[in-house]
C-alpha cells in the first residue's frame, strides 16, 4: 500500500475547507492543528459515499461503533473490552466532559499532566472545575511525585477530584508504559481520585512501541477511557467516539444520560466502523510514513535548527519543539507565523513547560515538512 502521506499536493490541500487550511492565507504552511494531510482509507471513503448514496443519513446505531472498536482493540492491543458496557459519545472531549461530570462536582479539581492538549484546560474550566497541574518530569515522562502532590492538593478538605490522563501524551508523544501507568493509577486510587483516560492517539504508537489501554490494567479497573478512530484515520470531521469503562467503572458509565449519545454523527459511526474493521493496512502504511517523517524531521532539525531541543515522540504525529535557545520569545509559534510563514501550535497553552515551545504536526508530506523546516531555519537565521 502507498504511503498515505504522499497523497494530496499543496494545491489540493489549499482547496480544503477545514480550519487548518482556512485560518491562514495561502502563503502560510499550516502545521498546527492535529489534522493530517491525508485522504482517508479507501474502505472509509466507500462506506461514507455508499451511505450517502443509499440515503442512509439518519441517526447513529451505537453497536456498529462499539463492536468494531472491541474487534480493533483485540487485534491491535490484545484487549477485548465488552462492547455492551461502552457508551457512544459525540467526540472525545465531550465524552471527557460527561465522565468528569460523573466523577466531580462544580468547583472540584481535575489533575492533568502538563504540557498537555490545551482543551484539557478549556473544557475543564467551562465545566466549572479547576485544573491542578502535575507536570511531566524532566525526562518528559509521567512523574509520580508531581502526581502525588497534585492528588493531595486536589483532594484537600475531602473534595472529590478526577485525573485526566493523556495516553499517549499530546504534545510530547510519550506512550506511557504499564509500569508508569500503574504507578500513577495507584497514587490516584490512594487519594480516591477517579481516572479518565483520553486515548484518542492510541493507534498511533510507532513501530516497536506498545500502547497500553489504561482500562486493561488491574490498577485501571475503575478508570474510564475515551477512544475514537478520528486521529489515527483523520476523521475529525466525522464526529463520533466511545467511552470504555474498566471492569469496575461499568455502573458509573451507565449513569451517563442516554441523550449524550445523540450527539455522535451517524456518518461518523459508519466511517469509524469502516476504519476499525477494514483500515488496518492503511493504518500500517501510515505508521511507516510517520516513522519516516519522524526520522526526516530529526535529520532536518539537526542540520538546519541544531539548537532546537526535541525528544523523538514514541507515538502520534506531533513533535514538541523547544525553541528557547533561539530567543523567539515565550511563544515561538507567534513569531514564526510572521517571520517564517509557518503555523505551529503555540506552546504556552499546553500549561507548565509550554513556554518557549511549539508543536509541529508532521502528519504531512515529506516535501511540506522539508519546506516548513527550511522556512523556519531561514527565519531564525541559523
Ligand atoms: C489528546 C486529544 N484529545 C482529544 C482531541 C480532540 O478529539 P475530539 O475531536 O474527538 O474531541 C485531540 C485532537 O487533537 C487530542 O489530541
Amino acid at each position: 500500500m502507498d504511503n498515505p502521506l504522499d497523497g494530496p499536493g499543496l494545491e489540493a490541500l489549499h482547496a480544503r475547507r477545514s480550519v487548518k487550511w482556512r485560518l491562514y492565507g495561502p502563503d502560510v504552511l499550516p502545521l498546527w492543528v492535529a489534522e493530517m494531510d491525508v485522504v482517508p482509507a479507501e474502505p472509509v471513503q466507500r462506506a461514507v459515499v455508499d451511505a450517502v448514496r443509499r440515503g442512509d443519513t439518519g441517526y447513529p446505531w451505537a453497536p456498529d461503533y462499539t463492536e468494531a472498536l472491541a474487534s480493533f482493540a483485540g487485534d491491535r492491543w490484545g484487549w477485548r473490552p465488552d462492547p455492551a458496557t461502552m457508551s457512544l459519545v459525540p467526540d472525545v472531549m465531550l465524552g471527557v466532559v460527561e465522565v468528569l461530570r460523573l466523577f466531580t462536582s462544580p468547583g472540584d479539581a481535575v489533575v492533568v499532566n502538563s504540557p498537555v492538549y490545551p482543551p484539557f484546560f478549556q473544557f475543564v474550566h467551562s465545566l466549572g472545575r479547576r485544573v491542578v497541574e502535575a507536570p511531566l518530569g524532566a525526562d518528559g515522562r509521567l512523574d509520580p511525585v508531581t502526581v502525588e502532590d497534585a492528588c493531595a492538593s486536589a483532594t484537600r478538605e475531602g473534595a472529590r477530584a478526577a485525573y485526566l490522563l493523556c495516553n499517549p501524551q499530546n504534545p510530547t508523544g510519550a506512550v506511557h508504559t504499564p509500569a508508569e501507568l500503574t504507578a500513577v493509577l495507584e497514587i490516584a486510587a490512594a487519594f480516591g481520585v477517579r481516572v479518565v483516560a483520553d486515548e484518542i492517539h492510541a493507534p498511533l504508537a510507532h513501530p516497536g512501541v506498545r500502547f497500553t489501554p489504561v482500562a486493561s490494567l488491574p490498577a485501571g479497573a475503575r478508570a474510564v477511557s475515551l477512544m475514537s478512530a478520528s486521529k489515527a484515520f483523520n476523521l475529525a470531521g466525522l464526529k463520533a467516539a466511545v467511552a470504555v469503562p474498566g471492569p469496575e467503572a461499568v455502573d458509573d458509565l451507565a449513569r451517563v444520560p442516554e441523550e449524550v449519545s445523540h450527539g455522535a454523527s451517524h456518518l461518523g459511526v459508519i466511517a469509524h466502523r469502516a476504519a476499525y474493521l477494514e483500515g488496518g493496512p492503511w493504518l500500517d502504511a501510515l505508521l511507516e510514513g510517520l516513522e519516516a517523517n519522524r526520522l526526516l524531521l530529526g535529520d532536518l532539525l539537526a542540520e538546519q535548527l541544531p539548537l532546537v531541543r526535541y525528544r523523538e515522540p514514541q507515538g502520534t504525529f506531533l513533535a514538541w519543539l523547544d525553541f528557547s535557545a533561539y530567543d523567539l520569545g515565550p511563544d515561538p509559534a507567534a513569531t514564526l507565523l510572521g517571520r517564517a510563514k509557518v503555523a505551529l501550535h503555540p506552546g504556552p497553552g499546553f500549561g507548565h513547560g509550554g513556554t518557549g515551545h511549539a508543536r509541529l504536526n508532521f502528519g504531512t508530506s515529506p516535501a511540506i515538512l522539508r519546506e516548513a523546516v527550511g522556512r523556519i531555519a531561514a527565519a531564525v537565521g541559523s
Side-chain angles (χ1 to χ4, degrees), residues 34 91-94 117 120 166 170 198 200-201 228 230-231 239 241 359:
D91 59 26
V92 163
M93 287 315 298
L94 291 177
Y117 180 54
F120 275 24
C166 195
N170 169 359
D198 174 340
I200 195 168
H201 290 278
S228 172
S230 74
K231 285 299 124 184
K239 289 256 176 198
R359 192 192 72 182

Side-chain angles (χ1 to χ4, degrees), residues 124-193:
V124 168
H125 288 145
S126 56
L127 185 64
R129 275 57 167 172
R130 43 195 182 91
V131 172
V132 175
E133 294 185 53
L136 298 176
D139 58 357
R141 318 249 2 144
L142 292 175
D143 181 351
V145 175
T146 65
V147 173
E148 180 154 8
D149 288 348
C151 287
S153 145
T155 53
R156 202 160 286 146
E157 290 158 21
R160 293 203 297 168
Y163 176 13
L164 178 53
L165 252 170
C166 195
N167 178 42
Q169 186 85 18
N170 169 359
T172 61
V175 178
H176 310 309
T177 65
E180 289 170 329
L181 289 170
T182 299
V184 296
L185 290 166
E186 287 179 348
I187 292 166
F191 285 92
V193 171

Side-chain angles (χ1 to χ4, degrees), residues 32 34 169-173 201 313 315-320 359-362:
W32 59 288
Q169 186 85 18
N170 169 359
T172 61
H201 290 278
T316 78
F317 45 80
L318 306 169
W320 184 236
R359 192 192 72 182
L360 178 149
N361 173 349
F362 61 85

Side-chain angles (χ1 to χ4, degrees), residues 26 34 40 64 103 109 130 132 182 235 253 282 289 325 328 340 365:
D64 269 359
F103 290 165
R130 43 195 182 91
V132 175
T182 299
L235 304 174
L253 188 63
W282 183 94
L328 300 176
S365 67

